[in-house]
Amino acid sequence: MVTNGKDFVKEVTPRDEDFSQWYLDLVLKTEMMDYAPVRGCMAIRPYGYAIWENIQQLLDKRIKATGHKNAYFPLFIPESLLQKEADHVEGFAPEVALVTHGGDEKLTERLVVRPTSEAIICSMYARWIQSYRDLPLLINQWCNVVRWEKSTRPFLRTSEFLWQEGHTVHSTEEEAEEEALKMLGVYKEFAETELAIPVISGLKTESEKFAGALRTYTIEALMADGRALQAGTSHNLGQHFSRVFDIQFLDKDKQLKYAWQTSWGVSSRLIGAIIMVHGDDRGLKLPPRVAPVQVVVVPIITKKQRKEVLERVREFADEFSGEIRIEVDDREEYSAGWKFNEWEMKGVPLRLEVGPRDLSQGGVTAVRRDTGEKFFINEKELPKRLPALLDDIQSNLFKQALEFREKNTYSVDDYEKFKDIVQEKRGFILSPWCGDPGCEEGIKNDTKATIRCIPFAAEPSEDALCLFCGQKNSKPVYFARAY
RNA sequence: CGGGGCGUAGCGCAGUUUGGCAGCGCGCUUGGUUCGGGACCAAGAGGCCGCGGGUUCAAAUCCCGCCGCUCCGACCA
């Protein structure tokens, strides 16, 4: 940590000085997480977990609204099941945790701690599906998964993380494709509406797609340091898994057919995205829709009016606690100024100050976390103003993030210029690519930038020359340095 | 997995070079005075110096091994 003299938040390294350190300072000081005694693992503390609960609640609603039901599958997967799909095992083998013993007894077959649940779920689906009447099968699960990662970062990449994974089965290829795209759309709408994070969506390249998928779709967000973060993926699995797990159904035409599948997921990584998209030198800036505390009330306690002020803020909280996540910080061992900084660091969208002056004027002093704006609100207007202000903060955060992304998205067809931007400014770079994995690889080796996605609208054009090889009829795709 | 940095009280650090009582600031506890942007006074509590070996009369300090965090790379949906 670096002490930054005159600034308000002493605990946090300035963002532009050292982005990584700023991020680490924040997740620790705001008590979102703490390191656990297992390498790469963390405890998610109540303040961080509350954000996850809000994400779960808001996304779960959407998953159910699109016809999916929740279920739960085992943490352990027999090793032989994981090994059935060739690409899948190749993709995950290096990072699976294995259970070899039960007590002192060696297991006859080793168990994999799920890195994702395709294998175990497909093995169950094979038993549940016989007829086209059993389809579509639309199931989601909220769970933890384990991937033994080489390098980890709180929330962004940890050995164990929380997520939801949807696993659906369909009778036709078209229907599976439609499902994969539909859920990508749900993710995009969710990220933008609830997390105030603008995302670009599109198709992953062959080298970046999910191990075992036919196609992978993705939403990608831009962090404040100009690096991209994959925020959610949706896979069209084709018949890859149904063939090896033998998920067959008798169709209307009396033919026995292999089913078509999808899977899709977002993880607790989204919490990292919220931090890195919205945060500033003072700390977090949480979008009201997912903020554990939307409004904090800080009483200004004075010797003379201590009782009146405390009574007022307490009834005040009761008044709004039904519709707003409101918290009264009436701890008397901390000064008002200390609390201001503390709650700003924790990213609470709106602060209300109630002191003798406010009481005499019949209202409260409000301060927005997003703009720092300070203003008086008359008591009578509060029921209307508070929800309206939270909505306004929510949309303003989205607007700021969108402006930042637009400012940091470049359209470039010259490789030298491309290299300069990757080096100096980062951000998204829309550049033509011929589709050859060799060119993708070459650009990655030169610049560390990867193709984040091929946007849906991308059309090849005659005069678009591949950034790397110069071939005509290339498509504009998004490049970035990524987390 | 390769290279660098770090690990001493809850947090930030000094002490390690040259072995000899484990310290400072913040925080914490208690009492009191305060409170509109990190208040003040007084009295206190708090340590397997990351872990395990070794050298030594004596190790936070020297040697060996390991673990963890972190940065850069490799790897990675």
Side-chain angles (χ1 to χ4, degrees), chain A residues 99-285:
Chain A
V99 178
T100 57
H101 286 76
D104 285 338
E105 223 168 298
K106 196 174 175 194
L107 302 178
T108 49
E109 179 176 3
R110 298 196 294 186
L111 298 173
V112 166
V113 181
R114 64 181 165 218
T116 178
S117 301
E118 273 75 8
I120 190 93
I121 290 179
C122 287
S123 75
M124 301 305 297
Y125 282 2
R127 295 162 57 167
W128 299 346
I129 293 164
Q130 277 100 46
S131 151
Y132 72 91
R133 291 194 176 92
D134 298 324
L135 301 176
L137 183 58
L138 307 174
I139 291 180
N140 175 66
Q141 89 166 335
W142 290 94
C143 67
N144 59 337
V145 288
V146 167
R147 298 177 188 180
W148 218 252
E149 300 285 356
K150 299 244 163 51
S151 70
T152 59
R153 267 164 194 268
F155 295 111
L156 299 176
R157 174 170 285 114
T158 45
S159 297
E160 179 189 11
F161 58 93
L162 305 179
W163 76 344
Q164 59 67 220
E165 48 179 329
H167 295 269
T168 71
V169 191
H170 307 266
S171 48
T172 66
E173 182 172 14
E174 296 71 40
E175 206 184 300
E177 178 69 5
E178 192 186 318
E179 166 79 6
L181 288 170
K182 183 202 285 176
M183 296 320 288
L184 189 78
V186 167
Y187 286 160
K188 181 174 163 70
E189 190 271 338
F190 167 77
E192 299 191 333
T193 307
E194 311 291 10
L195 312 182
I197 297 175
V199 295
I200 55 172
S201 53
L203 180 68
K204 279 290 188 192
T205 63
E206 280 299 300
S207 69
E208 295 267 332
K209 79 175 184 191
F210 176 75
L214 188 64
R215 278 188 286 279
T216 291
Y217 298 108
T218 181
I219 54 171
E220 301 277 329
L222 191 64
M223 305 297 104
D225 64 345
R227 287 172 74 178
L229 183 76
Q230 178 175 298
T233 49
S234 179
H235 319 290
N236 182 336
L237 301 175
Q239 292 177 313
H240 296 175
F241 288 87
S242 67
R243 286 180 185 277
V244 294
F245 286 95
D246 200 29
I247 305 174
Q248 297 194 76
F249 67 99
L250 199 56
D251 208 349
K252 281 179 197 165
D253 60 7
K254 299 180 188 168
Q255 297 290 308
L256 198 57
K257 296 175 182 173
Y258 286 109
W260 300 84
Q261 294 181 271
T262 80
S263 68
W264 26 272
V266 300
S267 72
S268 39
R269 170 184 268 194
L270 288 176
I271 295 171
I274 293 168
I275 299 166
M276 292 195 295
V277 167
H278 300 302
D280 64 13
D281 281 354
R282 291 196 185 188
L284 304 173
K285 265 190 212 170

Side-chain angles (χ1 to χ4, degrees), chain A residues 409-421:
Chain A
T409 299
Y410 307 88
S411 201
V412 169
D413 47 17
D414 176 75
Y415 198 27
E416 291 310 310
K417 213 180 285 175
F418 179 94
K419 287 178 188 164
D420 286 348
I421 292 172

Side-chain angles (χ1 to χ4, degrees), chain A residues 266-338:
Chain A
V266 300
S267 72
S268 39
R269 170 184 268 194
L270 288 176
I271 295 171
I274 293 168
I275 299 166
M276 292 195 295
V277 167
H278 300 302
D280 64 13
D281 281 354
R282 291 196 185 188
L284 304 173
K285 265 190 212 170
L286 297 178
R289 306 293 284 269
V290 293
V293 179
Q294 295 172 308
V295 176
V296 65
V297 184
V298 178
I300 311 297
I301 302 162
T302 58
K303 199 174 172 184
K304 284 180 192 163
Q305 301 206 46
R306 180 175 169 277
K307 212 176 143 197
E308 294 92 317
V309 167
L310 283 174
E311 269 174 17
R312 183 67 197 100
V313 295
R314 281 167 190 157
E315 55 185 50
F316 193 94
D318 291 342
E319 203 178 316
F320 295 102
S321 59
E323 49 213 297
I324 291 172
R325 293 190 287 272
I326 191 166
E327 188 164 316
V328 174
D329 187 354
D330 56 6
R331 294 175 294 179
E332 296 193 47
E333 59 273 27
Y334 293 97
S335 70
W338 188 90

